[in-house]
Amino acid sequence: MSSLLRLATAGSVDDGKSTLVGRLLYDTKSVLADQLDAVTRASVDKGLSTPDLSLLVDGLRSEREQGITIDVAYRYFATPRRSFVLADTPGHVQYTRNTVTGASTAQLAVLLVDARKGVIEQTRRHAAVLALLGVPHLVLAVNKIDLVGYDEAIFTVIAEEFAAHAESLGYARGSVLAVPVSALEGDNVATHSDKTPWYSGPTLLEHLETVPVAPDPHDSAFRFPVQYVIRPRTADYPDYRGYAGQIAAGTVRPGDEIIVLPQGLRSKVERIDTADGPLDEAGAGTSVTLLLADELDIARGDLIASADRPPEVSDEITATLCWLSAKPLQAGARVLVKHGARTVQAFVEDLHARFDEQALSSVAAPDSLALNDIGQVTLRLAEAIGVDDYGTSPRTGAFLVIDPKDGDTLAAGMVGERFA
């Protein structure tokens, strides 16, 4: 079992995401005494008799005053069984782009619904985004169960409706866990509640501690985006030439044959250096410096990959975009594509389809993509790059679309067709 779980929360505004995260931090004793004192004082000032745990997460002044989350808040906590990195994402429709950011690296997502409202439009929108991003595990937290009298029938209707929706998005039947919780009261968050004797499943924290998270497959094709070329040219290291970065996928060992893309240069790995000394093997997520057997012209932005399983090299890619800008996207637009450490000029050759996350269908040949739209496009690049399908290798199948005029991020992109 992995010792680290990356998770994200999502849901509609006022579903209680920040309170739930605050409850997890509080119940796992991940809150410093001065933090809790500050929250207690702020809660008293608001006229509350108990600490408002959402204040542990809503850090921006504008968030505290409005009682909403408007940015992605990253929190870190741990139990004896596992460590966690949690992204608490906003619920408002106009901040769906932040949900994409927070969930892009998540191994599990906790999707909240208000027990009084059930599955609503924003719930379905977030579930569709999570499915498109390939988040493998979903938990439906039916929050505020105390406000419906801990009614089993209400919980069952919500859980079954969402299970059917998740299945239509590609999640296997039975793979989505539904938990009745009260973030305010703590019911079934870290401890079982005696107010829900009809619920026999795990608490939310128990599930987070035990859900199996598959590590990067050992047999994944090796991918290494070059971040920096190290050439000390000192008396001690006059001829040292290393290529530094973080392994995006797969495993590498000295002697492995590699190809450098997009040039197509070939060589072998001679040594794997780290700050703690050389390694005999390094896997995904490890930051290393590679030394090659040949002196090649390699620069930041190049991709070192397995020679026998290289990615596709192309100046045209079909991709799914999550459009994050208020400026609509139209065919013919000129943009920048940032893939790993490489940024290339591009233009939008065609808009193929727009995904309707409510009807779970696609609209062919849309005129444009608006804020929060998800669509399939073809991009023509000024230079060829090495890319993988997002479903095969998320790290080398993801990219950003950037406005060349002001540098703003316009879209998050995934190589390949993520919906039919």
Side-chain angles (χ1 to χ4, degrees):
M1 181 175 66
S2 172
S3 61
L4 174 68
L5 178 68
R6 296 187 301 272
L7 68 149
T9 60
S12 183
V13 65
D14 293 332
D15 279 349
K17 295 181 304 300
S18 295
T19 302
L20 180 65
V21 175
R23 171 64 64 181
L24 283 170
L25 295 174
Y26 180 79
D27 286 352
T28 57
K29 298 179 173 57
S30 302
V31 183
L32 298 176
D34 58 343
Q35 289 178 303
L36 189 57
D37 288 343
V39 167
T40 301
R41 289 194 300 271
S43 301
V44 171
D45 291 342
K46 293 169 63 176
L48 302 176
S49 59
T50 58
D52 181 357
L53 297 179
S54 70
L55 298 179
L56 292 170
V57 174
D58 288 340
L60 300 179
R61 182 177 179 181
S62 54
E63 291 179 338
R64 294 196 303 269
E65 291 175 350
Q66 297 182 62
I68 62 171
T69 300
I70 61 176
D71 201 359
V72 180
Y74 289 93
R75 302 296 169 184
Y76 308 88
F77 63 100
T79 69
R81 305 181 72 174
R82 180 174 269 175
S83 298
F84 304 90
V85 179
L86 184 148
D88 180 33
T89 67
H92 277 279
V93 172
Q94 66 262 42
Y95 298 117
T96 300
R97 58 191 181 274
N98 299 60
T99 302
V100 174
T101 301
S104 60
T105 60
Q107 299 157 303
L108 177 147
V110 179
L111 186 53
L112 279 81
V113 296
D114 187 324
R116 299 168 299 177
K117 302 175 183 177
V119 176
I120 61 175
E121 178 179 330
Q122 186 70 334
T123 311
R124 291 188 286 269
R125 176 180 290 110
H126 280 146
V129 169
L130 296 171
L132 285 167
L133 290 170
V135 179
H137 299 280
L138 279 186
V139 176
L140 181 71
V142 183
N143 193 26
K144 304 184 182 182
I145 195 71
D146 54 312
L147 299 185
V148 295
Y150 300 94
D151 192 314
E152 179 184 6
I154 292 177
F155 169 77
T156 300
V157 168
I158 295 172
E160 290 181 350
E161 179 182 354
F162 185 78
H165 181 67
E167 187 176 8
S168 68
L169 291 170
Y171 287 96
R173 190 74 176 177
S175 66
V176 178
L177 174 69
V179 185
V181 302
S182 170
L184 184 65
E185 302 294 336
D187 295 295
N188 296 322
V189 177
T191 57
H192 286 274
S193 173
D194 57 9
K195 299 172 184 175
T196 55
W198 42 265
Y199 175 69
S200 58
T203 66
L204 176 60
L205 185 59
E206 284 175 345
H207 183 65
L208 297 182
E209 287 181 319
T210 57
V211 64
V213 179
D216 186 74
H218 193 72
D219 61 351
S220 292
F222 173 63
R223 301 288 186 263
F224 182 78
V226 176
Q227 295 287 335
Y228 188 70
V229 180
I230 299 177
R231 297 207 62 192
R233 293 191 176 98
T234 63
D236 292 334
Y237 302 98
D239 302 316
Y240 190 98
R241 185 195 297 259
Y243 307 103
Q246 187 181 79
I247 298 174
T251 304
V252 65
R253 304 171 187 83
D256 284 357
E257 294 188 1
I258 58 90
I259 186 169
V260 182
L261 300 172
Q263 304 94 316
L265 305 172
R266 290 176 177 265
S267 185
K268 288 186 177 181
V269 176
E270 190 171 76
R271 200 165 82 225
I272 305 171
D273 278 357
T274 70
D276 298 320
L279 298 177
D280 295 329
E281 178 181 292
T286 308
S287 295
V288 299
T289 299
L290 298 183
L291 281 74
L292 304 182
D294 303 284
E295 290 191 6
L296 303 178
D297 182 13
I298 300 175
R300 171 181 165 83
D302 291 343
L303 180 67
I304 299 177
S306 169
D308 60 347
R309 288 192 290 170
E312 179 185 1
V313 178
S314 178
D315 62 358
E316 181 180 285
I317 55 176
T318 298
T320 299
L321 297 185
C322 295
W323 193 249
L324 312 178
S325 172
K327 308 174 188 176
L329 174 68
Q330 295 178 324
R334 295 194 175 275
V335 297
L336 297 176
V337 169
K338 180 174 174 55
H339 178 257
R342 177 182 291 270
T343 301
V344 300
Q345 296 180 357
F347 77 92
V348 181
E349 193 169 68
D350 199 3
L351 300 182
H352 300 294
R354 178 177 58 80
F355 180 59
D356 184 337
E357 73 280 351
Q358 299 302 314
L360 298 181
S361 61
S362 60
V363 178
D367 293 332
S368 63
L369 294 182
L371 175 64
N372 295 324
D373 278 349
I374 297 169
Q376 284 181 1
V377 306
T378 295
L379 298 170
R380 175 73 67 175
L381 312 180
E383 307 170 28
I385 60 174
V387 295
D388 293 287
D389 185 276
Y390 182 85
T392 302
S393 179
R395 287 283 302 277
T396 50
F399 61 92
L400 295 177
V401 177
I402 298 171
D403 191 331
K405 296 179 181 178
D406 54 23
D408 286 349
T409 298
L410 300 176
M414 295 164 280
V415 177
E417 298 182 5
R418 303 295 294 169
F419 62 88

